[in-house]
Amino acid sequence: VIHLITEAERLGKAINYNIQDFEGKTTLIFAAKIRHETMALFILDHALKQKDFNINLADQDGMTALHYACALGMPGLATRL
């Protein structure tokens, strides 16, 4: 994911960080759910550059990236969110 984001930015391509999968998970939510804090912070840093990024999107269980960060013990990510 990190390589794809970096390459897209290098090529001047926009990434829609609000896209959700069949369970309602965005890339940020997925990264938080699998406890990959480094990836989640990288995604967050790049997503925040877009004015239409919705940090509060929730999956089908009603969980946001912040919920997963808190529930799964990632205080650094939770603070940033």
Side-chain angles (χ1 to χ4, degrees):
V1 170
I2 292 172
H3 173 73
L4 293 173
I5 293 171
T6 303
E7 190 64 14
E9 287 185 348
R10 186 184 72 78
L11 295 171
K13 303 291 183 181
I15 296 175
N16 184 348
Y17 293 97
N18 293 324
I19 291 178
Q20 295 173 288
D21 69 6
F22 66 97
E23 294 178 331
K25 289 178 180 38
T26 62
T27 54
L28 179 60
I29 292 172
F30 182 75
K33 185 176 181 181
I34 64 170
R35 297 181 181 177
H36 201 308
E37 189 169 12
T38 302
M39 184 187 314
L41 288 168
F42 184 86
I43 292 168
L44 181 61
D45 286 343
H46 291 268
L48 287 172
K49 296 175 186 175
Q50 297 181 352
K51 64 180 179 178
D52 64 339
F53 172 59
N54 184 352
I55 199 168
N56 296 312
L57 285 176
D59 64 15
Q60 289 180 347
D61 297 320
M63 299 282 283
T64 66
L66 177 59
H67 291 125
Y68 285 111
C70 292
L72 300 174
M74 294 178 282
L77 178 59
T79 300
R80 291 285 314 280
L81 291 167

mmCIF file of all heavy atoms in Angstrom, residues 18-54:
data_model
loop_
_atom_site.group_PDB
_atom_site.id
_atom_site.type_symbol
_atom_site.label_atom_id
_atom_site.label_comp_id
_atom_site.label_asym_id
_atom_site.label_seq_id
_atom_site.Cartn_x
_atom_site.Cartn_y
_atom_site.Cartn_z
ATOM 1 N N ASN A 18 -11.716 7.614 0.498
ATOM 2 C CA ASN A 18 -13.047 7.385 1.043
ATOM 3 C C ASN A 18 -13.698 6.110 0.496
ATOM 4 O O ASN A 18 -14.774 5.739 0.957
ATOM 5 C CB ASN A 18 -13.963 8.576 0.745
ATOM 6 C CG ASN A 18 -13.528 9.824 1.475
ATOM 7 O OD1 ASN A 18 -13.051 9.765 2.603
ATOM 8 N ND2 ASN A 18 -13.662 10.965 0.829
ATOM 9 N N ILE A 19 -13.087 5.453 -0.465
ATOM 10 C CA ILE A 19 -13.675 4.244 -1.039
ATOM 11 C C ILE A 19 -13.729 3.155 0.026
ATOM 12 O O ILE A 19 -12.771 2.925 0.761
ATOM 13 C CB ILE A 19 -12.875 3.771 -2.269
ATOM 14 C CG1 ILE A 19 -13.059 4.775 -3.404
ATOM 15 C CG2 ILE A 19 -13.303 2.382 -2.707
ATOM 16 C CD1 ILE A 19 -12.287 4.447 -4.659
ATOM 17 N N GLN A 20 -14.878 2.493 0.080
ATOM 18 C CA GLN A 20 -15.093 1.433 1.062
ATOM 19 C C GLN A 20 -15.286 0.091 0.353
ATOM 20 O O GLN A 20 -15.876 0.038 -0.725
ATOM 21 C CB GLN A 20 -16.322 1.752 1.913
ATOM 22 C CG GLN A 20 -16.122 3.000 2.761
ATOM 23 C CD GLN A 20 -17.374 3.420 3.470
ATOM 24 O OE1 GLN A 20 -18.295 3.908 2.835
ATOM 25 N NE2 GLN A 20 -17.420 3.222 4.780
ATOM 26 N N ASP A 21 -14.806 -0.981 0.981
ATOM 27 C CA ASP A 21 -14.984 -2.321 0.420
ATOM 28 C C ASP A 21 -16.373 -2.852 0.787
ATOM 29 O O ASP A 21 -17.201 -2.122 1.336
ATOM 30 C CB ASP A 21 -13.857 -3.262 0.874
ATOM 31 C CG ASP A 21 -13.891 -3.604 2.358
ATOM 32 O OD1 ASP A 21 -14.850 -3.225 3.061
ATOM 33 O OD2 ASP A 21 -12.942 -4.261 2.822
ATOM 34 N N PHE A 22 -16.629 -4.119 0.508
ATOM 35 C CA PHE A 22 -17.950 -4.705 0.747
ATOM 36 C C PHE A 22 -18.336 -4.739 2.224
ATOM 37 O O PHE A 22 -19.504 -4.902 2.552
ATOM 38 C CB PHE A 22 -18.038 -6.105 0.124
ATOM 39 C CG PHE A 22 -17.127 -7.114 0.775
ATOM 40 C CD1 PHE A 22 -17.606 -7.971 1.746
ATOM 41 C CD2 PHE A 22 -15.794 -7.203 0.407
ATOM 42 C CE1 PHE A 22 -16.766 -8.890 2.351
ATOM 43 C CE2 PHE A 22 -14.946 -8.128 0.999
ATOM 44 C CZ PHE A 22 -15.437 -8.977 1.979
ATOM 45 N N GLU A 23 -17.369 -4.575 3.114
ATOM 46 C CA GLU A 23 -17.645 -4.508 4.551
ATOM 47 C C GLU A 23 -17.646 -3.071 5.066
ATOM 48 O O GLU A 23 -17.772 -2.827 6.258
ATOM 49 C CB GLU A 23 -16.602 -5.311 5.331
ATOM 50 C CG GLU A 23 -16.656 -6.804 5.069
ATOM 51 C CD GLU A 23 -15.583 -7.564 5.833
ATOM 52 O OE1 GLU A 23 -14.502 -6.992 6.113
ATOM 53 O OE2 GLU A 23 -15.830 -8.732 6.142
ATOM 54 N N GLY A 24 -17.476 -2.116 4.155
ATOM 55 C CA GLY A 24 -17.468 -0.711 4.526
ATOM 56 C C GLY A 24 -16.123 -0.201 5.005
ATOM 57 O O GLY A 24 -16.015 0.907 5.510
ATOM 58 N N LYS A 25 -15.090 -1.004 4.840
ATOM 59 C CA LYS A 25 -13.768 -0.603 5.321
ATOM 60 C C LYS A 25 -13.014 0.214 4.269
ATOM 61 O O LYS A 25 -12.953 -0.160 3.112
ATOM 62 C CB LYS A 25 -12.943 -1.831 5.700
ATOM 63 C CG LYS A 25 -13.458 -2.496 6.958
ATOM 64 C CD LYS A 25 -12.682 -3.723 7.306
ATOM 65 C CE LYS A 25 -13.186 -4.378 8.559
ATOM 66 N NZ LYS A 25 -14.615 -4.386 8.791
ATOM 67 N N THR A 26 -12.438 1.316 4.725
ATOM 68 C CA THR A 26 -11.527 2.094 3.894
ATOM 69 C C THR A 26 -10.118 1.532 4.104
ATOM 70 O O THR A 26 -9.910 0.697 4.990
ATOM 71 C CB THR A 26 -11.541 3.580 4.309
ATOM 72 O OG1 THR A 26 -11.074 3.663 5.662
ATOM 73 C CG2 THR A 26 -12.932 4.192 4.188
ATOM 74 N N THR A 27 -9.162 2.021 3.340
ATOM 75 C CA THR A 27 -7.786 1.556 3.558
ATOM 76 C C THR A 27 -7.306 1.917 4.966
ATOM 77 O O THR A 27 -6.594 1.134 5.596
ATOM 78 C CB THR A 27 -6.810 2.146 2.517
ATOM 79 O OG1 THR A 27 -6.928 3.573 2.520
ATOM 80 C CG2 THR A 27 -7.088 1.612 1.137
ATOM 81 N N LEU A 28 -7.718 3.071 5.463
ATOM 82 C CA LEU A 28 -7.323 3.486 6.811
ATOM 83 C C LEU A 28 -7.940 2.569 7.872
ATOM 84 O O LEU A 28 -7.258 2.132 8.798
ATOM 85 C CB LEU A 28 -7.732 4.938 7.056
ATOM 86 C CG LEU A 28 -7.402 5.503 8.433
ATOM 87 C CD1 LEU A 28 -5.903 5.463 8.702
ATOM 88 C CD2 LEU A 28 -7.929 6.925 8.557
ATOM 89 N N ILE A 29 -9.212 2.277 7.736
ATOM 90 C CA ILE A 29 -9.872 1.381 8.693
ATOM 91 C C ILE A 29 -9.223 0.007 8.646
ATOM 92 O O ILE A 29 -8.947 -0.602 9.688
ATOM 93 C CB ILE A 29 -11.391 1.285 8.403
ATOM 94 C CG1 ILE A 29 -12.077 2.617 8.696
ATOM 95 C CG2 ILE A 29 -12.022 0.163 9.220
ATOM 96 C CD1 ILE A 29 -13.528 2.675 8.259
ATOM 97 N N PHE A 30 -8.963 -0.505 7.441
ATOM 98 C CA PHE A 30 -8.357 -1.827 7.311
ATOM 99 C C PHE A 30 -6.984 -1.880 7.981
ATOM 100 O O PHE A 30 -6.681 -2.811 8.718
ATOM 101 C CB PHE A 30 -8.245 -2.221 5.836
ATOM 102 C CG PHE A 30 -7.672 -3.588 5.635
ATOM 103 C CD1 PHE A 30 -8.431 -4.715 5.884
ATOM 104 C CD2 PHE A 30 -6.365 -3.745 5.216
ATOM 105 C CE1 PHE A 30 -7.897 -5.983 5.721
ATOM 106 C CE2 PHE A 30 -5.814 -5.005 5.046
ATOM 107 C CZ PHE A 30 -6.588 -6.135 5.303
ATOM 108 N N ALA A 31 -6.163 -0.855 7.737
ATOM 109 C CA ALA A 31 -4.830 -0.817 8.336
ATOM 110 C C ALA A 31 -4.925 -0.802 9.862
ATOM 111 O O ALA A 31 -4.163 -1.482 10.554
ATOM 112 C CB ALA A 31 -4.044 0.383 7.833
ATOM 113 N N ALA A 32 -5.871 -0.039 10.392
ATOM 114 C CA ALA A 32 -6.053 0.003 11.849
ATOM 115 C C ALA A 32 -6.549 -1.342 12.365
ATOM 116 O O ALA A 32 -6.073 -1.834 13.392
ATOM 117 C CB ALA A 32 -7.030 1.114 12.226
ATOM 118 N N LYS A 33 -7.474 -1.965 11.649
ATOM 119 C CA LYS A 33 -8.039 -3.233 12.106
ATOM 120 C C LYS A 33 -6.988 -4.347 12.165
ATOM 121 O O LYS A 33 -7.040 -5.205 13.038
ATOM 122 C CB LYS A 33 -9.196 -3.662 11.212
ATOM 123 C CG LYS A 33 -9.882 -4.908 11.719
ATOM 124 C CD LYS A 33 -11.079 -5.302 10.906
ATOM 125 C CE LYS A 33 -11.703 -6.556 11.524
ATOM 126 N NZ LYS A 33 -12.860 -6.996 10.776
ATOM 127 N N ILE A 34 -6.039 -4.330 11.228
ATOM 128 C CA ILE A 34 -5.004 -5.380 11.248
ATOM 129 C C ILE A 34 -3.796 -4.968 12.090
ATOM 130 O O ILE A 34 -2.760 -5.605 12.053
ATOM 131 C CB ILE A 34 -4.573 -5.793 9.828
ATOM 132 C CG1 ILE A 34 -3.903 -4.643 9.078
ATOM 133 C CG2 ILE A 34 -5.743 -6.376 9.052
ATOM 134 C CD1 ILE A 34 -3.231 -5.044 7.773
ATOM 135 N N ARG A 35 -3.949 -3.879 12.826
ATOM 136 C CA ARG A 35 -2.926 -3.380 13.757
ATOM 137 C C ARG A 35 -1.626 -2.995 13.070
ATOM 138 O O ARG A 35 -0.544 -3.161 13.627
ATOM 139 C CB ARG A 35 -2.650 -4.412 14.850
ATOM 140 C CG ARG A 35 -3.816 -4.705 15.719
ATOM 141 C CD ARG A 35 -3.482 -5.710 16.774
ATOM 142 N NE ARG A 35 -4.676 -5.975 17.577
ATOM 143 C CZ ARG A 35 -4.729 -6.849 18.546
ATOM 144 N NH1 ARG A 35 -3.658 -7.540 18.852
ATOM 145 N NH2 ARG A 35 -5.837 -7.032 19.208
ATOM 146 N N HIS A 36 -1.736 -2.460 11.873
ATOM 147 C CA HIS A 36 -0.533 -2.005 11.159
ATOM 148 C C HIS A 36 -0.473 -0.489 11.314
ATOM 149 O O HIS A 36 -0.862 0.270 10.426
ATOM 150 C CB HIS A 36 -0.593 -2.411 9.694
ATOM 151 C CG HIS A 36 0.749 -2.441 9.044
ATOM 152 N ND1 HIS A 36 1.623 -1.376 9.095
ATOM 153 C CD2 HIS A 36 1.364 -3.410 8.344
ATOM 154 C CE1 HIS A 36 2.714 -1.692 8.434
ATOM 155 N NE2 HIS A 36 2.587 -2.921 7.974
ATOM 156 N N GLU A 37 0.019 -0.058 12.470
ATOM 157 C CA GLU A 37 0.006 1.361 12.821
ATOM 158 C C GLU A 37 0.836 2.201 11.862
ATOM 159 O O GLU A 37 0.436 3.309 11.481
ATOM 160 C CB GLU A 37 0.493 1.560 14.254
ATOM 161 C CG GLU A 37 0.300 2.968 14.760
ATOM 162 C CD GLU A 37 0.530 3.088 16.250
ATOM 163 O OE1 GLU A 37 1.054 2.166 16.884
ATOM 164 O OE2 GLU A 37 0.176 4.154 16.786
ATOM 165 N N THR A 38 1.985 1.690 11.435
ATOM 166 C CA THR A 38 2.834 2.445 10.509
ATOM 167 C C THR A 38 2.091 2.714 9.205
ATOM 168 O O THR A 38 2.108 3.832 8.692
ATOM 169 C CB THR A 38 4.140 1.675 10.225
ATOM 170 O OG1 THR A 38 4.810 1.457 11.463
ATOM 171 C CG2 THR A 38 5.042 2.442 9.286
ATOM 172 N N MET A 39 1.425 1.697 8.681
ATOM 173 C CA MET A 39 0.676 1.866 7.437
ATOM 174 C C MET A 39 -0.487 2.829 7.640
ATOM 175 O O MET A 39 -0.747 3.695 6.808
ATOM 176 C CB MET A 39 0.148 0.526 6.923
ATOM 177 C CG MET A 39 -0.556 0.652 5.583
ATOM 178 S SD MET A 39 -1.390 -0.858 5.007
ATOM 179 C CE MET A 39 -0.186 -2.118 5.278
ATOM 180 N N ALA A 40 -1.199 2.685 8.748
ATOM 181 C CA ALA A 40 -2.334 3.556 9.023
ATOM 182 C C ALA A 40 -1.896 5.015 9.129
ATOM 183 O O ALA A 40 -2.547 5.908 8.581
ATOM 184 C CB ALA A 40 -3.040 3.118 10.300
ATOM 185 N N LEU A 41 -0.782 5.260 9.802
ATOM 186 C CA LEU A 41 -0.280 6.639 9.916
ATOM 187 C C LEU A 41 0.154 7.182 8.559
ATOM 188 O O LEU A 41 -0.071 8.361 8.257
ATOM 189 C CB LEU A 41 0.876 6.693 10.920
ATOM 190 C CG LEU A 41 0.473 6.514 12.378
ATOM 191 C CD1 LEU A 41 1.701 6.292 13.252
ATOM 192 C CD2 LEU A 41 -0.337 7.699 12.866
ATOM 193 N N PHE A 42 0.758 6.342 7.736
ATOM 194 C CA PHE A 42 1.164 6.761 6.387
ATOM 195 C C PHE A 42 -0.070 7.129 5.566
ATOM 196 O O PHE A 42 -0.105 8.177 4.923
ATOM 197 C CB PHE A 42 1.954 5.635 5.709
ATOM 198 C CG PHE A 42 2.491 6.005 4.362
ATOM 199 C CD1 PHE A 42 3.713 6.648 4.240
ATOM 200 C CD2 PHE A 42 1.781 5.700 3.207
ATOM 201 C CE1 PHE A 42 4.212 7.001 2.993
ATOM 202 C CE2 PHE A 42 2.269 6.041 1.959
ATOM 203 C CZ PHE A 42 3.489 6.686 1.853
ATOM 204 N N ILE A 43 -1.084 6.260 5.603
ATOM 205 C CA ILE A 43 -2.328 6.541 4.871
ATOM 206 C C ILE A 43 -2.951 7.831 5.390
ATOM 207 O O ILE A 43 -3.374 8.688 4.609
ATOM 208 C CB ILE A 43 -3.309 5.358 5.005
ATOM 209 C CG1 ILE A 43 -2.766 4.139 4.258
ATOM 210 C CG2 ILE A 43 -4.696 5.736 4.495
ATOM 211 C CD1 ILE A 43 -3.498 2.843 4.570
ATOM 212 N N LEU A 44 -3.021 7.987 6.694
ATOM 213 C CA LEU A 44 -3.616 9.183 7.292
ATOM 214 C C LEU A 44 -2.887 10.446 6.843
ATOM 215 O O LEU A 44 -3.520 11.432 6.456
ATOM 216 C CB LEU A 44 -3.609 9.071 8.814
ATOM 217 C CG LEU A 44 -4.230 10.230 9.581
ATOM 218 C CD1 LEU A 44 -5.693 10.407 9.225
ATOM 219 C CD2 LEU A 44 -4.068 10.009 11.084
ATOM 220 N N ASP A 45 -1.562 10.430 6.888
ATOM 221 C CA ASP A 45 -0.781 11.597 6.467
ATOM 222 C C ASP A 45 -1.119 12.011 5.042
ATOM 223 O O ASP A 45 -1.246 13.199 4.747
ATOM 224 C CB ASP A 45 0.715 11.314 6.572
ATOM 225 C CG ASP A 45 1.218 11.298 7.997
ATOM 226 O OD1 ASP A 45 0.510 11.815 8.887
ATOM 227 O OD2 ASP A 45 2.314 10.761 8.232
ATOM 228 N N HIS A 46 -1.273 11.050 4.164
ATOM 229 C CA HIS A 46 -1.541 11.357 2.758
ATOM 230 C C HIS A 46 -3.014 11.686 2.520
ATOM 231 O O HIS A 46 -3.325 12.567 1.726
ATOM 232 C CB HIS A 46 -1.060 10.209 1.867
ATOM 233 C CG HIS A 46 0.425 10.105 1.861
ATOM 234 N ND1 HIS A 46 1.209 10.742 0.930
ATOM 235 C CD2 HIS A 46 1.284 9.491 2.708
ATOM 236 C CE1 HIS A 46 2.480 10.508 1.195
ATOM 237 N NE2 HIS A 46 2.553 9.757 2.279
ATOM 238 N N ALA A 47 -3.904 11.016 3.226
ATOM 239 C CA ALA A 47 -5.336 11.276 3.063
ATOM 240 C C ALA A 47 -5.708 12.667 3.546
ATOM 241 O O ALA A 47 -6.578 13.326 2.959
ATOM 242 C CB ALA A 47 -6.136 10.209 3.811
ATOM 243 N N LEU A 48 -5.049 13.132 4.594
ATOM 244 C CA LEU A 48 -5.373 14.460 5.137
ATOM 245 C C LEU A 48 -5.030 15.592 4.177
ATOM 246 O O LEU A 48 -5.501 16.719 4.360
ATOM 247 C CB LEU A 48 -4.659 14.665 6.474
ATOM 248 C CG LEU A 48 -5.227 13.867 7.646
ATOM 249 C CD1 LEU A 48 -4.331 14.003 8.868
ATOM 250 C CD2 LEU A 48 -6.653 14.305 7.966
ATOM 251 N N LYS A 49 -4.266 15.316 3.149
ATOM 252 C CA LYS A 49 -3.944 16.327 2.142
ATOM 253 C C LYS A 49 -5.127 16.600 1.219
ATOM 254 O O LYS A 49 -5.130 17.585 0.499
ATOM 255 C CB LYS A 49 -2.746 15.879 1.291
ATOM 256 C CG LYS A 49 -1.463 15.747 2.078
ATOM 257 C CD LYS A 49 -0.357 15.195 1.194
ATOM 258 C CE LYS A 49 0.901 14.919 1.986
ATOM 259 N NZ LYS A 49 1.944 14.276 1.146
ATOM 260 N N GLN A 50 -6.119 15.733 1.247
ATOM 261 C CA GLN A 50 -7.288 15.876 0.377
ATOM 262 C C GLN A 50 -8.433 16.511 1.148
ATOM 263 O O GLN A 50 -8.795 16.040 2.223
ATOM 264 C CB GLN A 50 -7.703 14.519 -0.179
ATOM 265 C CG GLN A 50 -6.658 13.890 -1.052
ATOM 266 C CD GLN A 50 -7.112 12.555 -1.608
ATOM 267 O OE1 GLN A 50 -8.137 12.017 -1.241
ATOM 268 N NE2 GLN A 50 -6.301 12.026 -2.510
ATOM 269 N N LYS A 51 -9.012 17.545 0.575
ATOM 270 C CA LYS A 51 -10.068 18.275 1.277
ATOM 271 C C LYS A 51 -11.351 17.458 1.439
ATOM 272 O O LYS A 51 -12.132 17.708 2.345
ATOM 273 C CB LYS A 51 -10.367 19.595 0.589
ATOM 274 C CG LYS A 51 -10.928 19.463 -0.806
ATOM 275 C CD LYS A 51 -11.204 20.811 -1.418
ATOM 276 C CE LYS A 51 -11.736 20.622 -2.837
ATOM 277 N NZ LYS A 51 -12.069 21.880 -3.450
ATOM 278 N N ASP A 52 -11.573 16.457 0.597
ATOM 279 C CA ASP A 52 -12.802 15.683 0.696
ATOM 280 C C ASP A 52 -12.649 14.400 1.514
ATOM 281 O O ASP A 52 -13.583 13.604 1.622
ATOM 282 C CB ASP A 52 -13.337 15.343 -0.698
ATOM 283 C CG ASP A 52 -12.398 14.449 -1.492
ATOM 284 O OD1 ASP A 52 -11.190 14.400 -1.171
ATOM 285 O OD2 ASP A 52 -12.857 13.813 -2.451
ATOM 286 N N PHE A 53 -11.500 14.190 2.136
ATOM 287 C CA PHE A 53 -11.277 12.990 2.949
ATOM 288 C C PHE A 53 -12.184 13.012 4.172
ATOM 289 O O PHE A 53 -12.260 13.996 4.894
ATOM 290 C CB PHE A 53 -9.809 12.907 3.384
ATOM 291 C CG PHE A 53 -9.524 11.825 4.377
ATOM 292 C CD1 PHE A 53 -9.788 10.507 4.074
ATOM 293 C CD2 PHE A 53 -9.011 12.130 5.620
ATOM 294 C CE1 PHE A 53 -9.530 9.496 4.999
ATOM 295 C CE2 PHE A 53 -8.744 11.136 6.548
ATOM 296 C CZ PHE A 53 -9.010 9.819 6.235
ATOM 297 N N ASN A 54 -12.887 11.904 4.396
ATOM 298 C CA ASN A 54 -13.792 11.787 5.544
ATOM 299 C C ASN A 54 -13.167 10.839 6.568
ATOM 300 O O ASN A 54 -13.254 9.621 6.433
ATOM 301 C CB ASN A 54 -15.161 11.280 5.102
ATOM 302 C CG ASN A 54 -16.152 11.245 6.236
ATOM 303 O OD1 ASN A 54 -15.811 11.457 7.396
ATOM 304 N ND2 ASN A 54 -17.406 10.980 5.908
#
